[in-house]
Amino acid sequence: MSTQVPEQTEEESSADTESQSQSQSAAQQARMQKKRDRAAERDRQKEAEEAEKASSEDDTYLLKVFRYDPEVEGKQEPRFDEFHVPYHQGMTVLDALMYARDEYDSSLTFRHSCRQAVCGSDALFIDGRQRLGCKTQLSDLEEPVRIEPLPHQEVVKDLVVDMEHFYDQMHAVEPYFQTNDLPEGEQLQSRENREKIKMSTRCIWCGACMSSCNIAAGDNKYLGPAAINKAYRFTMDEREGEDMQEHRMEILEQEHGVWRCQTQFSCTEVCPKDIPLTEHIQELKREAVKNNLKFW
């Protein structure tokens, strides 16, 4: 039995050729469409990147930062450097300084630590006022944002000042409990007394108040609002022994103690923890007067 392949007619052959041609044309059109789609996607991405870049260039803050480095020749003359920092919602002055340091100039020097307004290390002179860099929002300031070290203190480098004198004044009031007549057992404090000294305990040793005080600027021996507030915290604490209260009041009554305060309220205005420093100083003045009254 023989097997023979049926011969295709001319019409069938023409139909197959046309079908193949249509299939190839459809595949070619699909490939072309994919190419057009990819090209369109690339164009959209490019436009989006350009728009984002243009937006970021427009949404920046101009910082004018104080610069000084006594150890580098050519930088020993104080000056201001400008930095254009991309802004994002919630950005603080400290955030902007860190961006400028990390992206533009790694030699830019300033102090910071907790970034939560607790450590007090990033107190700066921002737009003519003592503030914490981590607590100050860029959106609350007008450009250019001028950033300088704290006034009335020796500049070590850029925005870093020497805090040694400030710490000496703080320690001069002996800010710790000490007494010769401690009672046995637990020392309890009343709610009323705790409320009285509560605000004074919030001091973070940032030095902003000392920097704002004109008296401290002219009298290097003046204890200053921060140290006097620290003394208030212990003097007014009912758990303090009477002997130590008298000793601490003697420190505060000295020539460069509470009587040097001229009630300018500048320290209270710049305190980042809202401590009523001037009120505390005035109350200590009243206590000093009562201690010196004699009836005979």
Side-chain angles (χ1 to χ4, degrees):
M1 182 177 179
S2 62
T3 58
Q4 292 182 350
V5 178
E7 294 183 359
Q8 283 186 323
T9 64
E10 185 176 344
E11 292 180 357
E12 290 175 339
S13 177
S14 175
D16 289 345
T17 302
E18 184 177 352
S19 176
Q20 292 176 0
S21 176
Q22 290 177 352
S23 177
Q24 291 174 356
S25 176
Q28 186 176 7
Q29 288 179 359
R31 288 195 296 271
M32 291 298 294
Q33 185 61 41
K34 286 183 178 180
K35 289 183 179 179
R36 286 193 291 269
D37 291 343
R38 286 197 294 267
E41 181 64 24
R42 286 196 296 269
D43 291 340
R44 283 194 294 270
Q45 289 180 354
K46 185 176 181 181
E47 290 175 1
E49 290 174 359
E50 290 177 352
E52 183 179 356
K53 182 178 180 182
S55 175
S56 64
E57 288 176 352
D58 293 337
D59 198 11
T60 61
Y61 260 79
L62 172 60
L63 308 183
K64 296 189 70 173
V65 183
F66 180 88
R67 305 300 303 276
Y68 166 71
D69 190 346
E71 298 181 354
V72 178
E73 188 175 354
K75 295 184 179 181
Q76 297 173 349
E77 188 69 26
R79 69 186 191 281
F80 281 88
D81 285 352
E82 295 186 354
F83 300 97
H84 290 271
V85 177
Y87 173 76
H88 60 77
Q89 187 175 2
M91 194 174 199
T92 65
V93 170
L94 179 58
D95 292 331
L97 285 173
M98 294 175 69
Y99 184 94
R101 178 197 61 192
D102 296 342
E103 299 296 330
Y104 300 137
D105 187 350
S106 60
S107 68
L108 178 59
T109 306
F110 51 92
R111 289 191 179 106
H112 68 90
S113 184
C114 74
R115 300 176 65 182
Q116 296 179 10
V118 175
C119 68
S121 60
D122 64 335
L124 300 165
F125 197 56
I126 303 170
D127 277 359
R129 181 185 176 91
Q130 289 82 358
R131 315 172 196 249
L132 292 183
C134 63
K135 191 178 180 181
T136 306
Q137 293 286 320
L138 273 181
S139 58
D140 293 337
L141 307 172
E142 295 183 359
E143 293 186 80
V145 179
R146 189 181 177 98
I147 307 173
E148 304 170 75
L150 290 177
H152 307 147
Q153 300 188 47
E154 182 182 353
V155 179
V156 178
K157 181 182 178 183
D158 293 343
L159 302 175
V160 176
V161 297
D162 186 353
M163 297 289 287
E164 184 175 357
H165 175 66
F166 173 79
Y167 295 142
D168 287 343
Q169 299 301 80
M170 294 293 281
H171 290 297
V173 298
E174 302 178 19
Y176 40 83
F177 283 117
Q178 50 178 322
T179 181
N180 295 325
D181 55 356
L182 275 176
E184 294 184 2
E186 184 179 7
Q187 297 186 70
L188 300 178
Q189 182 182 28
S190 66
R191 288 180 179 270
E192 294 76 16
N193 186 243
R194 176 61 187 174
E195 284 299 314
K196 180 179 179 63
I197 67 170
K198 180 174 67 176
M199 293 301 295
S200 65
T201 65
R202 295 182 177 180
C203 178
I204 56 176
W205 295 44
C206 66
C209 61
M210 192 81 159
S211 171
S212 72
C213 180
N214 292 329
I215 307 305
D219 183 357
N220 199 44
K221 294 182 180 180
Y222 175 46
L223 289 174
I228 295 176
N229 173 75
K230 185 60 66 174
Y232 176 94
R233 179 259 178 275
F234 288 96
T235 301
M236 297 301 175
D237 193 313
E238 63 186 6
R239 296 168 296 177
E240 181 80 289
E242 291 185 7
D243 53 343
M244 188 56 202
Q245 282 183 337
E246 294 177 3
H247 172 65
R248 206 184 305 278
M249 286 304 301
E250 289 176 1
I251 297 175
L252 295 172
E253 292 173 20
Q254 62 174 297
E255 179 183 355
H256 301 281
V258 293
W259 302 112
R260 290 290 287 126
C261 173
Q262 296 183 1
T263 324
Q264 296 177 346
F265 284 91
S266 59
C267 55
T268 301
E269 291 177 358
V270 303
C271 179
K273 308 306 285 187
D274 300 321
I275 303 172
L277 296 164
T278 308
E279 293 180 20
H280 290 170
I281 295 174
Q282 299 314 304
E283 188 170 353
L284 286 172
K285 286 182 180 180
R286 290 192 292 270
E287 289 297 318
V289 171
K290 287 190 291 185
N291 289 342
N292 290 320
L293 283 178
K294 295 181 180 179
F295 299 95
W296 70 111

